[in-house]
Amino acid sequence: MKGKSTNALMAHMRNDHNININGSTEKKKLVEMGYYHGYKAYRFKRNKANVLNYTEFNQVVSVYDFDNEMKRIFYPYVMKLETMLKNIVIEALVSRGDTTFEQIYDSKLNRQNELNPINLGLTGRDRHRAVERYQKANKRKLNLKQSFNRAVSENYGRRDFVEHFIHKGQPIPLWAHFELITLGTFGTFVSCLNSNDKVKITKTIGTYHNGEDTDGTFLEKHIFIIKELRNSVAHNSVIFDTRFRTSKIAKAIKDQLIREFGVSAIEFSTIVDYLILILHYLKPLKFSKTDLRRLIKETDNAIKNLQEGLNDNAIFLSIVGTDYKNKLAKMLEFI
């Protein structure tokens, strides 16, 4: 099979995809975004079965530009949020106490003990399910230790502070470990914490709700949701249609955000829903109202530009959702 020139690819788009693309300007834009990793990636929503029925190449460009703009908007906030959450967890765990991962591992990462069926007095099917949860929690903790050790091994010779502690024969403090691990591993770390420390941390952040999140588990669930967005933004992957979402999101998480923001539905099927979750943290973490209004305004402007560029309401609403205006308004009320 022979490769195609850019001109041949444009002809293919016209003849086989029914997309009007012509001239040097549109040719240059196709080269800029790329055919295989650009045009083909933006031709569908979430999966290849959901083809977006473009008729003009500038519609594809509008979606491409919207995707890049949303990554630009999200990037500084998800990175700051990651740093702040890690710092809050460090302070909550090491102040006036243990400072190394090994010490924390033994004294704080004991969620599995709370799930031990022996302590729950269960029988029958309930006990069987409890055993599965208990085993899963134990395995998660064991895997976490492997992840932390692997991060140290991979960064030995690359990060000066790793060599500093190892060459001095000193245990690596928790803050140094947190510099090495991914956001996903951090989420696993939080999931292994006992309930008292989880609640303490969520109260420090300002997101604790004793009626809906009694054991503080919402934080770890949120981290895993944000992790998928953060990784896609950081690696310049497609985000406009939330195709990065691979994990199932609990109904309790959606319901809590629906009540908090006063919106009718949250499914994390549009990028607007992820902004709601980000604001759930940015407000209690004391980001200024001016900054948060700007974040919402920039998102609103990006959506308006998308709508104008597409000039196709069906495609537009399939991307941002039919209730995006109400959600943006509720976000402004929330801050």
Side-chain angles (χ1 to χ4, degrees):
M1 181 177 179
K2 295 183 178 179
K4 295 181 184 296
S5 66
T6 302
N7 286 337
L9 290 171
M10 292 171 67
H12 171 65
M13 292 166 65
R14 287 192 299 269
N15 299 332
D16 297 329
H17 296 174
N18 299 315
I19 293 176
N20 183 26
I21 177 171
N22 291 283
S24 59
T25 300
E26 292 189 337
K27 178 180 178 179
K28 181 180 177 182
K29 192 66 180 181
L30 180 60
V31 171
E32 175 189 321
M33 71 166 63
Y35 178 85
Y36 296 100
H37 298 288
Y39 164 70
K40 290 191 74 173
Y42 293 98
R43 189 166 177 260
F44 62 88
K45 188 184 71 170
R46 285 193 64 82
N47 62 71
K48 292 181 180 179
N50 295 323
V51 175
L52 296 170
N53 295 315
Y54 305 121
T55 57
E56 300 289 335
F57 179 64
N58 63 15
Q59 293 176 304
V60 186
V61 173
S62 296
V63 176
Y64 171 80
D65 289 344
F66 173 70
D67 188 76
N68 283 326
E69 181 65 3
M70 291 310 302
K71 280 181 281 197
R72 182 197 67 78
I73 292 169
F74 272 119
Y75 181 81
Y77 293 98
V78 294
M79 302 307 287
K80 287 178 185 177
L81 182 55
E82 177 180 359
T83 299
M84 293 179 76
L85 291 178
K86 285 182 177 179
N87 288 339
I88 289 170
V89 169
I90 290 170
E91 183 175 0
L93 297 181
V94 307
S95 59
R96 299 183 299 278
D98 301 330
T99 61
T100 70
F101 171 67
E102 287 75 15
Q103 293 170 321
I104 298 295
Y105 187 85
D106 293 331
S107 64
K108 300 289 188 179
L109 300 179
N110 44 30
R111 170 63 172 164
Q112 78 284 353
N113 293 340
E114 300 173 339
L115 301 174
N116 193 329
I118 296 176
N119 301 327
L120 300 178
L122 301 174
T123 59
R125 181 174 294 181
D126 289 339
R127 179 179 173 82
H128 176 73
R129 290 173 178 169
V131 169
E132 289 183 340
R133 289 193 296 269
Y134 176 61
Q135 292 175 335
K136 186 176 180 180
N138 274 308
K139 187 170 181 61
R140 185 185 303 121
K141 181 177 177 180
L142 292 170
N143 289 340
L144 179 69
K145 193 167 191 177
Q146 290 181 339
S147 296
F148 269 67
N149 289 337
R150 184 166 55 250
V152 171
S153 176
E154 290 174 351
N155 283 278
Y156 177 75
R158 297 170 55 191
R159 306 291 290 270
D160 290 343
F161 64 84
V162 175
E163 290 190 10
H164 168 80
F165 291 109
I166 290 178
H167 291 175
K168 284 184 172 291
Q170 298 176 349
I172 299 176
L174 188 63
W175 69 261
H177 276 287
F178 276 15
E179 288 289 314
L180 306 176
I181 62 172
T182 65
L183 186 56
T185 300
F186 174 65
T188 302
F189 177 94
V190 173
S191 74
C192 291
L193 288 169
N194 62 67
S195 297
N196 287 337
D197 282 311
K198 288 180 185 178
V199 169
K200 175 183 176 182
I201 290 165
T202 54
K203 285 182 176 178
T204 300
I205 296 170
T207 56
Y208 179 68
H209 192 293
N210 59 8
E212 297 178 288
D213 188 24
T214 55
D215 56 359
T217 59
F218 278 16
L219 174 60
E220 68 209 50
K221 297 180 188 300
H222 288 160
I223 290 172
F224 289 126
I225 296 171
I226 294 168
K227 178 260 296 186
E228 294 185 321
L229 171 66
R230 178 254 187 239
N231 289 346
S232 294
V233 169
H235 294 107
N236 198 28
S237 300
V238 176
I239 70 166
F240 81 94
D241 56 357
T242 72
R243 67 183 63 177
F244 54 81
R245 178 171 60 84
T246 60
S247 57
K248 184 178 180 180
I249 299 175
K251 184 176 183 296
I253 294 295
K254 300 173 187 176
D255 289 346
Q256 192 277 326
L257 292 172
I258 287 170
R259 284 188 285 271
E260 182 176 28
F261 283 81
V263 296
S264 59
I266 292 178
E267 294 295 336
F268 291 98
S269 57
T270 71
I271 201 66
V272 176
D273 288 355
Y274 283 83
L275 181 57
I276 287 176
L277 178 57
I278 297 298
L279 289 170
H280 168 77
Y281 282 95
L282 297 186
K283 180 183 176 181
L285 288 172
K286 308 302 182 185
F287 280 70
S288 72
K289 289 186 178 181
T290 300
D291 198 12
L292 298 184
R293 288 193 188 100
R294 181 169 59 249
L295 171 59
I296 298 169
K297 181 64 175 176
E298 287 183 347
T299 300
D300 188 25
N301 287 339
I303 291 174
K304 288 176 179 176
N305 290 336
L306 173 67
Q307 184 177 27
E308 181 180 352
L310 281 171
N311 195 28
D312 185 308
N313 213 40
I315 298 176
F316 170 70
L317 293 178
S318 75
I319 292 173
V320 300
T322 57
D323 56 349
Y324 78 93
K325 285 185 178 180
N326 180 58
K327 286 180 177 178
L328 291 173
K330 291 296 185 181
M331 285 185 236
L332 285 172
E333 290 179 13
F334 173 77
I335 64 173

